Amino acid sequence: MLNKFSDYIYYMPNQDENDRPTLGLVSGEQYSLIVDCGNSTQHAKDFLNEIKKLNVPPIKYVVITHAHWDHFLGMNEFDATIIVNSQTNKLLNVWQSYKFDDSSLQTYKQSKLMGDKCIEIIQTEIPNRNQFKLNAPHIIFEKTLTLDLGNKLCVLEKINSTHSDDATIIYVPDEKVIFLGDCVYGTTKNSLFHYKKSLLLPMIEDVQKYNAEAFLLGHESICDMEEMTTFWRDLRAASKAVNSSSLEDALESFNLENNRTPNDDELFFIKAFVNDYIIQSL
C-alpha cells in the first residue's frame, strides 16, 4: 500500500523486517519519477502494482539514491530511464559483473561482498536468478541535475554523507519535500557502527540549504521539520563531545557542555562517533 503525501507525491513505507527501504513516486503533468528501485524483483513489482492503482502519468525516470543493494536490486523491473551519479555508477558496474546462482552467492558471502540478508532476499525474491544480470544506468550525472516532469521540477544533487560516498538526494521545490535515501545515517566497518565526524557538518549544510519541510528517509519513511531539527541537534551535540576514541572522555565532555547526561539517542550517536575514531586508528 502506498502512503499519500500530496496529489503529486506517494511513497511505499520501509519494511525493516524485510530490509525494504522507502520507495518514492513523484508525478508531474507529463511524467512520473521513482526514487529507488527496491531490494529485489518482488519489491519492485509490489511497488509497481500499487502505482497501477493510481491515475498518474507514465514513469519516465528512476533515481537511485546510492549503491547499496537494498536500493537498486529491483531496477530491472522498471521500463524507464535509470539515473545515478558518477560514483554510484562505478559501484553498480561491479554488481553488473555478478552472477546470482547459489555457487556464486556463496563465493560472495565468503569474500564478504554480500551479507546473509542480501543473499536471503536474492534467493527468495529474484526469480530466474541463474540468468539474472543487473541492468546498467542510462544517465550519469556528476554533481546536480534538474528534471522537469511537467510543471513539477525535481532537483538531484550528489551530497556529502555520513552513510556512503555516493549519496544522491532529490528535492521537489514546490512541494518542499526532500528524499534523503540513507544519507543521514551512519555505516558499519570492521563490525563497528560509526558516524563519520568529518562529514557530519558538510552533510547537514548540504541538506539544510534546501527549503524542505518534509523529509523522506530510507528507513524511517517520513519526518517533519521538528523531527529533523531534533535529529540534527542530537547529532551535533554528540559530535561536539567526541574528540578521541575514549567513550569516558566523550561522556565527560558532553556533561560539562550540556550540564546533563545524554539522552538515549545522543548516547547512541556518541558511541558511533567514538567508533569513528577507533576505526581511524586501525
Side-chain angles (χ1 to χ4, degrees):
M1 181 176 179
L2 301 185
N3 289 351
K4 181 178 180 180
F5 175 80
S6 72
D7 289 341
Y8 303 96
I9 295 180
Y10 291 80
Y11 63 95
M12 176 176 274
N14 60 299
Q15 301 172 37
D16 285 345
E17 65 276 11
N18 297 322
D19 272 9
R20 287 187 168 190
T22 303
L23 305 182
L25 168 70
V26 183
S27 295
E29 294 178 356
Q30 292 180 292
Y31 308 112
S32 295
L33 175 147
I34 298 295
V35 179
D36 280 331
C37 308
N39 72 349
S40 66
T41 298
Q42 189 59 53
H43 190 194
K45 286 182 176 179
D46 291 346
F47 187 40
L48 286 167
N49 285 336
E50 292 297 323
I51 292 174
K52 288 177 182 177
K53 300 175 184 178
L54 304 174
N55 183 24
V56 297
I59 299 167
K60 184 173 183 178
Y61 303 112
V62 175
V63 181
I64 299 174
T65 59
H66 63 296
H68 286 171
W69 67 272
D70 52 327
H71 293 259
F72 67 75
L73 275 180
M75 66 186 291
N76 288 14
E77 293 304 305
F78 294 90
D79 183 17
T81 299
I82 308 294
I83 302 175
V84 299
N85 68 54
S86 57
Q87 182 62 27
T88 299
N89 185 54
K90 290 178 182 178
L91 297 169
L92 290 181
N93 281 341
V94 177
W95 279 81
Q96 288 159 30
S97 68
Y98 286 175
K99 298 178 180 179
F100 294 86
D101 58 275
D102 285 338
S103 176
S104 296
L105 292 178
Q106 286 306 308
T107 299
Y108 302 147
K109 177 180 178 179
Q110 291 168 5
S111 57
K112 298 184 179 180
L113 293 173
M114 292 185 187
D116 290 340
K117 191 63 177 181
C118 175
I119 290 174
E120 176 189 338
I121 295 297
I122 289 171
Q123 290 176 327
T124 57
E125 296 195 7
I126 296 183
N128 304 316
R129 54 191 171 80
N130 286 355
Q131 290 78 42
F132 182 82
K133 178 178 172 60
L134 194 69
N135 290 342
H138 303 97
I139 294 178
I140 317 299
F141 72 96
E142 290 298 327
K143 180 60 178 175
T144 62
L145 179 66
T146 298
L147 302 171
D148 188 352
L149 305 180
N151 204 29
K152 185 71 60 180
L153 296 180
C154 293
V155 180
L156 284 56
E157 182 180 359
K158 179 182 181 294
I159 70 163
N160 293 287
S161 169
T162 52
H163 182 71
S164 70
D165 295 331
D166 67 317
T168 291
I169 59 174
I170 301 94
Y171 177 58
V172 188
D174 65 341
E175 300 282 339
K176 295 187 176 181
V177 171
I178 193 164
F179 291 85
L180 295 176
D182 292 356
C183 75
V184 301
Y185 301 138
T187 188
T188 299
K189 183 177 181 180
N190 297 331
S191 300
L192 288 174
F193 177 80
H194 67 112
Y195 259 90
K196 300 175 183 177
K197 182 174 179 176
S198 63
L199 292 174
L200 177 67
L201 295 182
M203 175 189 69
I204 294 175
E205 182 178 336
D206 282 348
V207 174
Q208 287 190 325
K209 72 183 180 186
Y210 292 102
N211 187 29
E213 296 179 356
F215 305 80
L216 281 146
L217 283 74
H219 298 277
E220 312 288 335
S221 289
I222 192 164
C223 296
D224 60 23
M225 177 65 80
E226 182 179 355
E227 290 170 315
M228 285 305 296
T229 299
T230 299
F231 182 70
W232 297 139
R233 183 195 65 209
D234 289 350
L235 273 172
R236 283 192 176 105
S239 174
K240 187 175 182 180
V242 180
N243 294 290
S244 72
S245 59
S246 169
L247 178 59
E248 182 179 354
D249 288 351
L251 293 175
E252 181 179 355
S253 175
F254 185 95
N255 294 346
L256 289 172
E257 177 72 22
N258 299 280
N259 295 314
R260 62 176 176 84
T261 58
N263 62 38
D264 289 345
D265 288 337
E266 290 165 333
L267 180 59
F268 175 80
F269 294 142
I270 287 171
K271 291 178 179 178
F273 286 117
V274 167
N275 285 344
D276 187 41
Y277 276 94
I278 293 173
I279 288 170
Q280 291 180 48
S281 68
L282 296 177

